[in-house]
């Protein structure tokens, strides 16, 4: 049994509904309303439109490169051929650090100047750090091979006039706000693990249910940003100003977005309320939002469309994701 589990990969297609077991009833009911609204208009993808051949193919491609960036030498990788060829592979484990070896810790701004002779325009690149060199003892063989194959694949595609990045930017068809569908679409074709598995440095897709239970706990149908700033790593960007807390991402507004995409940036203000942070003000794209009980905004959200303060909140969350 252990050999079979070690030598085979998981199923090609996922149910996507495993997450529903952990979600509150109110969240499932709200999602079903959004799914029904999307189906009535027949413009947005929902769970019932899956699996999608193009999405599955994309995930199979990701799985092809996954071993190069997620496994180190000397350990048996999942998959039949890895088990079959195991006796011929190098058994050396990850080597210990070399005493007194220096990698030259530097900011990303310094790295850009040293590596490419250029500077990033955003000031926050001075506050995030990386290594100037790869440690001699680090198992970098897989990374080098993976990056090399990616380079060759991208170069080959561009010779035929196809840029792989452009294929990932497509805006349509768009998904409804259907977490079950998004979970299935993200994992169909990826066989190393499922959406709820805690392995290979993945914590699983439990975050959706965690936020929904927090929303239920604090009796809110919105203000996801305030909960994220309370109970996630996003709080590292908070600054205290008197009795309030702020997160300022306006430095990102200088970046020109890809055509069809929203600009990053924005600013938010919070107050402590009953053991969590509550959003009291959102600023984005020249507009200020202080009223979070707007019927039109809620009606649009049921139709899987973000407008008003919900759009501003999503833009700020996306900005936080891009720099955390």
């Amino acid at each position: 049994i252990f050999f079979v589990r070690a030598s085979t990969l998981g199923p090609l297609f996922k149910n996507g509904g495993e997450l529903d077991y952990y979600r509150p009833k109110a969240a499932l009911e709200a999602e079903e309303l959004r799914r029904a609204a999307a189906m009535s208009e027949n413009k947005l993808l929902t769970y019932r439109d899956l699996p999608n051949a193009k999405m599955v193919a994309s995930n199979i491609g990701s799985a092809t490169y996954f071993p190069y960036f997620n496994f180190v030498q000397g350990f048996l990788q999942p998959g039949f051929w890895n088990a079959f060829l195991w006796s011929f592979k190098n058994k050396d484990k990850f080597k210990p650090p070399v005493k007194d070896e220096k990698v030259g810790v530097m900011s990303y701004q310094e790295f850009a100047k040293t590596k490419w002779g250029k500077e990033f325009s955003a000031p926050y690149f001075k506050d995030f750090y990386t290594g100037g060199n790869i440690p001699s003892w680090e198992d970098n063989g897989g990374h080098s091979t993976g990056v090399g194959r990616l380079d060759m694949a991208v170069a080959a595609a561009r010779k035929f006039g196809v840029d792989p990045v452009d294929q990932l930017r497509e805006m349509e068809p768009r998904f409804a706000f259907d977490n079950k569908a998004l979970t299935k679409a993200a994992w169909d074709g990826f066989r190393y693990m499922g959406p709820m598995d805690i392995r290979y440095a993945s914590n699983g897709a439990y975050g959706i249910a965690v936020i929904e239970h927090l929303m239920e706990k604090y009796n809110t149908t919105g203000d996801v940003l305030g909960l994220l700033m309370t109970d996630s790593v996003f709080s590292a960007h908070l600054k205290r100003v008197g009795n309030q807390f702020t997160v300022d991402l306006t430095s990102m507004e200088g970046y020109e977005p890809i055509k069809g995409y929203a600009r990053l940036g924005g600013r938010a203000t919070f107050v402590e309320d009953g053991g969590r942070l509550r959003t009291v003000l959102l600023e984005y794209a020249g507009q200020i939002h202080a009223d979070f009980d707007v019927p039109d905004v809620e009606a649009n959200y049921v139709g899987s469309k973000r407008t008003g303060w919900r759009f501003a909140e999503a833009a700020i969350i996306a900005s936080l994701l891009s720099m955390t």
Side-chain angles (χ1 to χ4, degrees), residues 69-281:
F69 302 104
N70 291 276
F71 298 113
V72 294
Q73 65 186 26
F75 295 89
L76 177 61
Q77 298 179 20
F80 173 79
W81 288 111
N82 288 320
F84 184 77
L85 300 172
W86 176 241
S87 59
F88 304 100
K89 293 189 175 183
N90 184 2
K91 304 300 189 299
D92 291 338
K93 297 291 194 298
F94 203 92
K95 299 180 179 65
V98 176
K99 184 179 180 181
D100 297 327
E101 181 177 6
K102 297 180 179 180
V103 297
V105 176
M106 60 179 65
S107 69
Y108 277 91
Q109 189 69 283
E110 293 173 314
F111 184 85
K113 288 191 290 185
T114 303
K115 184 76 172 179
W116 302 300
K118 298 180 179 180
E119 293 188 10
F120 295 112
S121 58
Y124 56 78
F125 281 106
K126 297 177 182 178
D127 301 322
F128 294 87
Y129 295 83
T130 185
N133 302 292
I134 298 172
S136 63
W137 48 270
E138 186 171 296
D139 180 7
N140 194 52
H143 284 77
S144 296
T145 302
V147 171
R149 295 192 177 190
L150 277 172
D151 286 343
M152 287 191 293
V154 171
R158 286 175 174 171
K159 284 184 179 180
F160 290 95
V162 177
D163 193 323
V165 174
D166 289 338
Q167 307 306 308
L168 300 176
R169 293 177 181 171
E170 292 183 358
M171 303 291 289
E172 302 295 341
R174 189 168 66 86
F175 270 96
F177 296 160
D178 185 341
N179 285 306
K180 185 176 180 180
L182 290 170
T183 302
K184 180 173 173 60
W187 291 92
D188 274 349
F190 192 87
R191 300 179 61 195
Y192 282 95
M193 55 186 171
M196 309 312 294
D197 292 337
I198 300 178
R199 60 195 308 193
Y200 305 139
S202 171
N203 293 323
Y206 296 95
I208 297 168
V210 169
I211 285 294
E212 289 171 342
H213 279 288
L214 286 173
M215 292 173 70
E216 189 174 61
K217 175 182 177 180
Y218 292 110
N219 192 29
T220 175
T221 57
D223 194 15
V224 172
L225 179 60
L227 297 175
L228 288 172
M229 299 307 292
T230 304
D231 284 311
S232 82
V233 70
F234 287 169
S235 61
H237 301 287
L238 282 172
K239 290 185 178 181
R240 184 162 191 160
V241 181
N243 293 326
Q244 296 182 325
F245 298 85
T246 65
V247 59
D248 189 341
L249 303 164
T250 53
S251 64
M252 306 189 75
E253 294 174 357
Y255 289 94
E256 192 66 28
I258 299 170
K259 184 178 180 180
Y261 283 72
R263 187 178 297 274
L264 296 176
R267 183 187 290 112
T269 304
F270 313 89
V271 295
E272 193 279 328
D273 183 7
R276 58 106 173 190
L277 292 180
R278 177 170 55 84
T279 307
V280 295
L281 193 73

Side-chain angles (χ1 to χ4, degrees), residues 282 284 287 289 294 297 300 306-314:
L282 294 173
Y284 176 73
Q287 295 186 336
H289 305 275
V294 185
V297 170
N300 288 333
R306 285 183 178 270
T307 56
W309 72 266
R310 282 193 179 272
F311 191 96
E313 180 189 59

